[in-house]
């Protein structure tokens, strides 16, 4: 039986591809989580309102004047050119209150103690307690404004939790990267050992390190690309399953960003393949021929 | 150095040779090999012959003294220069064997491709030339295991000749061959030498020294002397 020709730079692909795919999938999954959690937080933030309670007894001109002043502020969210400042009369507020609490306060108070109000949705950037505090102070200075109310501490709490989640995911991704670099390093070391006669021959006849490295680097890049493509496929598959299983998840989908994420995973795969191969090779090609044995 | 240069191909001055880069095996080595020289290198096992040869093809760095090999100054040699130095010398070593998973032609083609040859026709021509030179013109398609020991060693010499080296470094090239085949290999080296390529051959076969009189360098007691 003829011997199988040993090809320079070839080494067992399956283990590397499986491990690299797993690492890239996890990194991509982390990215997907970050992307969707950001979108979720953004939606939550945009739906949180600051309520501007108006003094009692204002006439319609004064009420309209306050609206104009509110709209002029940069913190007001605009959706399709419409500033998100909505007037709620005290009657509407009462109806809402009664619907929420199932208690009709007008029956025993005899009057409606609530105020007319504007409900203002804010730009995402202003979703910090210090900025909210400033908005409250500034708006309360407007003539005809009785009080500005918002849910305090919610902003900081969400921001803090989000930061924690990002740190955990980033740590996880970095650990995965380290593991895959070590794994590739080890595999390439074994490959170099199993091909030491070929490499020694190439070195003895005067092949440059670039020439010796090239097949390994090509192999590394191809493995990285294949792993990246498989990982991207798995991420898309997982996302599709999640969309079918989790109601409302559709709201969080940003397909352009998902495209960039998948592209990033594929490029990252190729980069990891090339760089870890290069790093492992550089170390072993510096050895003398005897040390390589 | 040009092909017509009168500069020595190898020149070592006050050179210390270290084994594995730390154990001194030969001290204050001085010798010159010129174009067309045939030099035997003799000495007992462990006397430093291999370390000396490794230093010449830059597998061991020159730690002290000065040395020039095919125009490269060993004491100033950079890692990036090593492949180009090795292209100008041919190496015939016992542990630098043929690949048994490819034909004679593929063995030789592998070397040419590894040293930057790309044109198929030129590669084919050069392979034919070197095989003719060692008397193996018709064995291109054979696998190494189909060849006798002597024929395999001729292929190894042909491989060393591919890049038209100025010198062949040979370490025990007939060590594993019977005397008759060893004799034939010696004649191949002689004909290569006659064509102008210098040869530095480490050997334990003292019959060659008598039969093919040439310069002899002896490694003994930590030094190299001309016999």
């Amino acid at each position: 039986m003829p011997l199988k020709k040993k090809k320079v730079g070839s080494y067992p692909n399956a283990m590397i591809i499986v491990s690299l795919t797993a690492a890239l999938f996890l990194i991509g999954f982390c990215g997907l989580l970050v992307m969707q959690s950001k979108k979720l937080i953004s939606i939550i933030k945009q739906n949180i309102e600051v309520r501007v309670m108006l003094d009692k007894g204002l006439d319609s001109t004064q009420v309209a004047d306050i609206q104009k002043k509110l709209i002029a502020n940069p913190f007001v969210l605009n959706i399709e050119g419409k500033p998100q400042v909505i007037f709620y009369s005290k009657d509407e507020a009462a109806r809402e209150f009664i619907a929420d609490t199932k208690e009709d306060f007008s029956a025993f108070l005899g009057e409606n103690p609530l105020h007319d109000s504007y409900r203002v949705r804010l730009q995402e950037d202003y979703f910090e307690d210090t900025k909210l505090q400033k908005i409250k102070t500034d708006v309360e200075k407007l003539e005809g404004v009785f009080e500005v109310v918002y849910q305090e501490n919610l902003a900081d709490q969400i921001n803090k939790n989000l930061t924690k989640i990002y740190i955990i995911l980033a740590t996880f991704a970095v650990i995965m990267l380290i593991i895959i670099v070590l794994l590739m390093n080890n595999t390439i070391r074994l490959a170099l050992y199993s091909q030491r006669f070929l490499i020694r021959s190439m070195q003895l006849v005067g092949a440059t390190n670039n020439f010796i490295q090239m097949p390994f680097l090509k192999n590394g890049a191809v493995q990285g690309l294949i792993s990246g493509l498989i990982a991207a496929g798995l991420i898309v598959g997982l996302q599709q399953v999640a969309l079918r299983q989790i109601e409302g998840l559709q709201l969080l989908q940003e397909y352009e960003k998902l495209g960039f994420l998948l592209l990033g995973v594929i490029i990252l795969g190729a980069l990891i393949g090339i760089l870890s191969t290069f790093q492992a090779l550089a170390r072993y090609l510096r050895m003398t021929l005897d040390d390589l044995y | 150095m040009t092909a017509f240069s009168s500069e020595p191909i190898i020149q070592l001055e006050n050179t210390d040779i270290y084994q594995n880069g730390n154990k001194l095996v030969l001290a204050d080595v001085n010798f010159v090999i010129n174009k067309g020289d045939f030099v035997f290198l003799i000495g007992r096992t462990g006397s430093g012959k291999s370390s000396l040869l490794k230093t010449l093809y830059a597998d061991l760095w020159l730690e002290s003294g000065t040395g020039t090999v095919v125009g490269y100054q060993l004491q100033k040699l950079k890692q990036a220069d090593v492949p180009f130095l090795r292209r100008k010398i041919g190496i015939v070593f016992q542990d630098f064997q043929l690949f048994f998973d490819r034909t004679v032609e593929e063995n030789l083609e592998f070397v040419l491709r590894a040293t930057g040859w790309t044109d198929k026709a030129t590669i084919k021509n050069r392979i034919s030339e070197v095989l003719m030179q060692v008397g193996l013109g018709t064995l291109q398609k054979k696998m190494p295991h189909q060849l006798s020991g002597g024929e395999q060693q001729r292929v190894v010499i042909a491989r060393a000749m591919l890049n038209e080296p100025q010198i062949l470094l040979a370490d025990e090239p007939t060590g594993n061959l019977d005397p008759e085949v060893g004799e034939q290999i010696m004649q191949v080296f002689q004909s290569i030498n006659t064509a102008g390529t210098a040869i530095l051959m480490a050997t334990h076969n003292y019959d060659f020294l008598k039969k093919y009189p040439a310069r002899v360098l002896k490694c003994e007691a930590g030094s190299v002397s001309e016999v």
Side-chain angles (χ1 to χ4, degrees):
Chain A
M1 197 177 82
L3 286 167
K4 198 181 168 205
K5 202 181 285 181
K6 210 176 231 182
K7 213 173 159 197
V8 184
S10 66
Y11 46 89
N13 283 318
M15 196 175 74
I16 287 274
I17 288 179
V18 169
S19 323
L20 189 52
T21 301
L24 289 171
F25 171 72
L26 283 169
I27 290 166
F29 180 66
C30 289
L32 192 67
L33 278 183
V34 168
M35 230 170 68
Q36 304 214 332
S37 67
K38 271 198 160 183
K39 179 71 181 170
L40 177 67
I41 296 301
S42 167
I43 292 172
I44 291 171
K45 283 175 178 177
Q46 285 176 4
N47 280 295
I48 289 174
E49 295 165 332
V50 168
R51 295 186 182 188
V52 179
M53 305 297 184
L54 306 182
D55 286 334
K56 292 197 171 182
L58 297 179
D59 60 33
S60 58
T61 322
Q62 286 171 308
V63 170
D65 192 41
I66 291 171
Q67 185 179 22
K68 268 186 203 164
K69 285 176 182 166
L70 284 174
I71 288 170
N73 281 300
F75 54 75
V76 175
L77 176 71
N78 281 283
I79 295 178
E80 292 167 0
K82 280 187 182 170
Q84 300 299 301
V85 177
I86 298 163
F87 179 76
Y88 269 71
S89 69
K90 62 181 183 179
D91 297 331
E92 281 173 304
R95 275 198 295 277
E96 197 179 69
F97 186 87
I98 291 165
D100 285 349
T101 60
K102 311 281 185 226
E103 279 184 35
D104 186 0
F105 56 84
S106 58
F108 53 88
L109 285 178
E111 59 167 341
N112 181 356
L114 300 176
H115 292 251
D116 291 337
S117 66
Y118 278 110
R119 295 188 180 179
V120 181
R121 285 165 71 188
L122 303 180
Q123 297 274 6
E124 220 181 299
D125 299 347
Y126 289 85
F127 196 72
E128 280 172 28
D129 276 355
T130 45
K131 287 183 180 173
L132 288 170
Q133 192 60 48
K134 189 169 180 323
I135 291 170
K136 176 180 164 77
T137 316
D138 290 349
V139 173
E140 279 181 348
K141 282 179 191 161
L142 294 177
E143 202 175 324
V145 172
F146 172 71
E147 188 185 20
V148 172
V149 179
Y150 66 90
Q151 200 173 348
E152 284 185 43
N153 297 328
L154 180 68
D156 273 0
Q157 219 161 359
I158 289 177
N159 283 333
K160 272 180 197 164
N161 287 336
L162 208 56
T163 310
K164 273 183 203 164
I165 291 170
Y166 290 161
I167 289 172
I168 291 168
L169 291 181
T171 312
F172 194 52
V174 168
I175 290 172
M176 288 308 300
L177 274 176
I178 293 171
I179 289 173
I180 191 64
V181 167
L182 288 177
L183 184 76
M184 288 196 78
N185 200 308
N186 211 29
T187 309
I188 286 159
R189 190 174 161 177
L190 287 173
L192 283 173
Y193 186 78
S194 75
Q195 297 182 9
R196 64 196 181 284
F197 293 112
L198 270 174
I199 291 167
R200 177 175 164 79
S201 298
M202 289 166 90
Q203 288 183 321
L204 282 177
V205 299
T208 58
N209 280 354
N210 280 349
F211 183 88
I212 298 170
Q213 282 172 330
M214 203 46 79
F216 285 93
L217 290 177
K218 272 187 194 163
N219 205 19
V222 170
Q223 285 176 338
L225 278 177
I226 293 173
S227 304
L229 285 168
I230 299 173
L234 289 174
I235 291 167
V236 171
L238 179 80
Q239 186 231 20
Q240 289 302 315
V241 171
L243 278 179
R244 281 168 181 73
Q245 301 295 325
I246 304 169
E247 210 178 319
L249 196 62
Q250 187 64 46
L251 280 174
L252 304 182
Q253 302 313 307
E254 294 171 290
Y255 288 103
E256 197 179 330
K257 283 187 184 171
L258 180 67
F260 281 119
L261 177 76
L262 297 178
L263 192 65
V265 166
I266 295 167
I267 293 172
L268 183 68
L271 278 180
I272 293 174
I274 292 171
L275 291 178
S276 53
T277 307
F278 184 79
Q279 182 260 346
L281 281 170
R283 190 188 317 166
Y284 296 109
L285 287 180
R286 273 199 301 269
M287 289 179 174
T288 66
L289 303 178
D290 283 345
D291 289 341
L292 197 63
Y293 276 72
Chain B
M1 196 170 69
T2 67
F4 302 104
S5 166
S6 58
E7 280 179 42
I9 291 174
I10 293 178
Q11 181 166 25
L12 296 186
E13 284 179 1
N14 310 319
T15 305
D16 293 336
I17 304 291
Y18 291 84
Q19 200 171 41
N20 301 323
N22 49 28
K23 186 186 162 198
L24 182 68
V25 282
L26 295 168
D28 196 23
V29 179
N30 292 278
F31 66 81
V32 170
I33 296 178
N34 290 306
K35 183 172 162 50
D37 279 358
F38 196 116
V39 182
F40 288 111
L41 183 64
I42 59 171
R44 300 169 74 119
T45 303
S47 61
K49 297 192 302 291
S50 292
S51 298
L52 175 59
L53 291 173
K54 280 180 181 176
T55 308
L56 295 178
Y57 66 81
D59 190 32
L60 290 175
W61 295 105
L62 189 66
E63 304 287 346
S64 67
T66 58
T68 307
V69 176
V70 290
Y72 287 90
Q73 290 184 292
L74 295 182
Q75 68 278 10
K76 293 182 183 169
L77 199 67
K78 294 183 184 119
Q79 187 69 48
D81 296 329
V82 174
F84 301 100
L85 177 150
R86 289 180 183 164
R87 287 179 195 187
K88 288 187 172 183
I89 55 181
I91 300 176
V92 182
F93 283 0
Q94 281 177 327
D95 63 344
F96 178 23
Q97 296 301 327
L98 298 170
F99 299 127
F100 279 72
D101 58 354
R102 57 195 82 194
T103 64
V104 168
E105 189 178 31
E106 287 167 341
N107 262 282
L108 301 182
E109 187 180 341
F110 173 82
V111 172
L112 289 175
R113 294 218 179 265
T115 51
W117 294 54
T118 50
D119 184 65
K120 271 189 180 175
T122 323
I123 288 174
K124 212 171 167 54
N125 286 341
R126 184 61 191 146
I127 289 172
S128 299
E129 276 172 22
V130 290
L131 285 177
M132 291 295 282
Q133 206 173 350
V134 298
L136 292 178
T138 56
L139 300 179
Q140 294 194 10
K141 302 292 178 196
K142 294 271 186 190
M143 298 297 282
H145 70 265
Q146 296 174 304
L147 306 178
S148 68
E151 286 170 332
Q152 285 181 23
Q153 192 62 308
R154 283 169 191 252
V155 178
V156 171
I157 297 168
R159 182 179 61 182
M161 292 299 292
L162 281 168
N163 281 307
E164 298 181 77
Q166 295 174 30
I167 184 165
L168 281 187
L169 304 180
D171 190 2
E172 288 290 334
T174 59
N176 296 330
L177 303 172
D178 64 53
E180 195 183 330
V181 177
E183 185 76 30
Q184 291 167 6
I185 295 300
M186 194 59 202
Q187 281 165 12
V188 172
F189 277 110
Q190 286 288 325
S191 70
I192 289 169
N193 180 238
T194 309
T197 306
I199 310 245
L200 174 59
M201 181 191 290
T203 185
H204 285 118
N205 189 337
Y206 285 34
D207 287 344
F208 287 157
L209 273 64
K210 291 178 197 155
K211 197 163 185 181
Y212 301 97
R215 283 178 60 199
V216 178
L217 294 172
K218 187 171 188 181
C219 298
E220 193 175 42
S223 65
V224 178
S225 55
E226 190 114 19
V227 178

